[in-house]
Amino acid sequence: PPPPPLSSAASDVYKRQACQDGESQPDANTVPAAEANESALPAEEPTEIPPAVEEEVAEDPTAEPQAEEEGVEEPPAEAALISWDALLEQTVATCGAPGAVLLVDSPEGRYLRATGLASTEDGTELQVTDALEIGSNTKSFTTAIAVQLQEEGVWSLDDPLSLWLPDVAARLAYGDEITLRQMAQNHSGIYDYATPLIGESISSGNYEQGYTPEEIVDIIVENGEPVAEPGTDEAWNYSSSNYHLLAMAIEAATGQRMADLYQERIFTPLGMEDSFLLEGVPEPGQIVNGYYTEEGETSNTTTWNASQGWAAGGIVSTAEDMARYIEGLSAGDLFQDPGSLEQMLDFGDGLVALYTGYGLGVGSYAGYGDLVGYGHGGQTAGFQSIWAVFPEQEVSLILLTLSLLHIS
């Protein structure tokens, strides 16, 4: 089928989110977009598409002219629809990305296309099947497992962290008050370790430095004060530390490693055959290259050690695997109780980074015309990504890019 068009409101949320995650807002540095590659579904050339109408009816030449209804205005020019092809190329240029993959599912069918390069060094073209780091999109995978454990009676999300990690909680301010739910919802007030740590690894060029979960806890404790008391209005704060600690609690409760839990509880059930948790430096060819750009200077950051992200940002996936994930998550396939998905999508009333509300590892997209949706963005030292679902329009999208502009 032809690529589904995109309303101006949808293009607004796409463009605002595509180059940024909750942790930063990249500069508008631009580079020319690379030539588009062939994908599993060939894309049409970008075309100017007129405003959508509910139904096209052939004009009857014998019909009497009808007077215009009072108070009915013509759709504004900005409501014109935009092709996914054009928006993909525009986004790649704006993000300064060597390449990107975009997948869109809608009632009109699936749009899937790769554009640009997987490696600027040897000119390898990016393919729709290539694996890229998804960064903070890992967070909803982690919280989904936490919700599953609640269904199984292993714990309650309202348990205090101290019940599962007493030694860690004892080292944290408010450690006896912070709950698992507050961490899953970015409402704990805990200091964010990831942005300064990854920023330092980039600025120093020491991408390959690895950390154990316990060493990350040391960084959290030693380098930052909480932003507020947990659960208060001021405690809404985007922090990868929440999901790092939540994962440590999950491992303590289950006796299993996060890599195995993702595989057994999410990847295998949903048929995500090309997804995995990267826990160190990738092997050659395991993922496409990643790049970091600042002030026009681009560095190859492919050897970034994903232990710096772990359960907050270490998963590698493909566009089609991510489509399987968001379809399964949105359909409730990961849960036994429909109420579990409702909990994940119960968005709080506090602003968290770029999100108008935050559920359990999932952000709310609202304030973009009539569109209301949910999803998440992600960054690592060399990749950016976003996924979003708009239930009323029955549209979902995944964008994966091999570029990061900067971490602020």
Side-chain angles (χ1 to χ4, degrees):
L6 180 67
S7 71
S8 60
S11 69
D12 189 31
V13 64
Y14 174 93
K15 287 184 285 187
R16 290 193 200 180
Q17 300 290 333
C19 295
Q20 51 202 20
D21 177 37
E23 295 148 332
S24 68
Q25 184 170 342
D27 296 324
N29 298 332
T30 60
V31 298
E35 293 295 322
N37 300 329
E38 294 296 325
S39 70
L41 294 179
E44 292 185 345
E45 289 299 314
T47 56
E48 186 172 324
I49 303 173
V53 292
E54 291 186 2
E55 183 178 2
E56 293 186 2
V57 180
E59 183 178 350
D60 182 356
T62 65
E64 293 292 328
Q66 297 185 7
E68 294 184 4
E69 295 183 39
E70 292 186 8
V72 177
E73 299 180 359
E74 289 295 320
E78 61 267 25
L81 301 180
I82 304 167
S83 79
W84 289 114
D85 273 0
L87 198 59
L88 175 59
E89 297 296 344
Q90 178 183 348
T91 301
V92 169
T94 302
C95 293
V101 181
L102 175 63
L103 184 154
V104 184
D105 281 330
S106 77
E108 287 78 19
R110 169 166 288 185
Y111 171 89
L112 176 59
R113 185 180 178 220
T115 185
L117 302 176
S119 169
T120 61
E121 288 79 8
D122 61 20
T124 301
E125 291 187 344
L126 185 65
Q127 306 298 319
V128 295
T129 54
D130 282 336
L132 291 79
E133 295 171 359
I134 66 169
S136 289
N137 288 308
T138 302
K139 291 176 169 61
S140 64
F141 289 77
T142 302
T143 56
I145 292 174
V147 173
Q148 289 174 341
L149 295 181
Q150 178 172 256
E151 283 189 332
E152 295 163 13
V154 174
W155 64 18
S156 166
L157 289 175
D158 297 312
D159 286 346
L161 175 64
S162 58
L163 182 61
W164 298 98
L165 296 176
D167 293 342
V168 172
R171 301 178 62 193
L172 298 171
Y174 306 112
D176 57 342
E177 301 177 30
I178 296 169
T179 67
L180 304 179
R181 185 183 304 276
Q182 288 168 345
M183 293 192 300
Q185 200 169 15
N186 271 323
H187 202 191
S188 70
I190 296 175
Y191 162 81
D192 176 32
Y193 82 88
T195 300
L197 177 66
I198 298 174
E200 171 60 26
S201 72
I202 291 173
S203 62
S204 67
N206 189 20
Y207 312 128
E208 299 182 17
Q209 176 65 49
Y211 296 86
T212 65
E214 292 73 22
E215 288 173 332
I216 296 294
V217 171
D218 292 340
I219 293 171
I220 295 170
V221 172
E222 296 168 6
N223 290 276
E225 294 295 322
V227 299
E229 184 176 350
T232 62
D233 290 344
E234 295 77 19
W236 293 106
N237 179 61
Y238 192 91
S239 174
S240 291
S241 302
N242 287 310
Y243 305 90
H244 184 90
L245 296 174
L246 183 61
M248 291 182 68
I250 289 172
E251 289 194 334
T254 63
Q256 292 182 267
R257 298 171 59 250
M258 288 304 299
D260 297 330
L261 291 167
Y262 292 135
Q263 189 66 53
E264 295 172 10
R265 290 175 171 268
I266 300 179
F267 300 156
T268 297
L270 297 182
M272 300 174 65
E273 297 180 356
D274 299 310
S275 300
F276 58 93
L277 178 65
L278 182 62
E279 298 180 274
V281 175
E283 297 293 329
Q286 194 173 22
I287 62 173
V288 301
N289 286 354
Y291 299 92
Y292 172 79
T293 300
E294 185 171 23
E295 298 180 354
E297 296 293 326
T298 299
S299 303
N300 185 318
T301 55
T302 310
T303 58
W304 176 71
N305 193 311
S307 67
Q308 297 180 30
W310 193 45
I315 286 180
V316 169
S317 192
T318 65
E320 290 182 291
D321 266 9
M322 285 299 294
R324 295 181 181 98
Y325 171 67
I326 62 177
E327 179 182 2
L329 176 68
S330 299
D333 294 343
L334 293 175
F335 307 117
Q336 303 170 21
D337 180 357
S340 294
L341 178 61
E342 293 175 5
Q343 287 190 54
M344 286 197 70
L345 303 183
D346 183 11
F347 303 110
D349 55 5
L351 296 178
V352 176
L354 301 172
Y355 308 103
T356 53
Y358 207 85
L360 303 182
V362 181
S364 171
Y365 297 136
Y368 301 95
D370 295 331
L371 278 182
V372 176
Y374 59 87
H376 214 278
Q379 294 179 340
T380 67
F383 296 86
Q384 295 185 94
S385 57
I386 177 178
W387 67 270
V389 175
F390 301 98
E392 186 173 340
Q393 290 77 19
E394 299 180 48
V395 172
S396 61
L397 66 85
I398 300 102
L399 175 75
L400 306 176
T401 73
L402 50 141
S403 173
L404 177 63
L405 285 177
H406 80 287
I407 295 180
S408 63

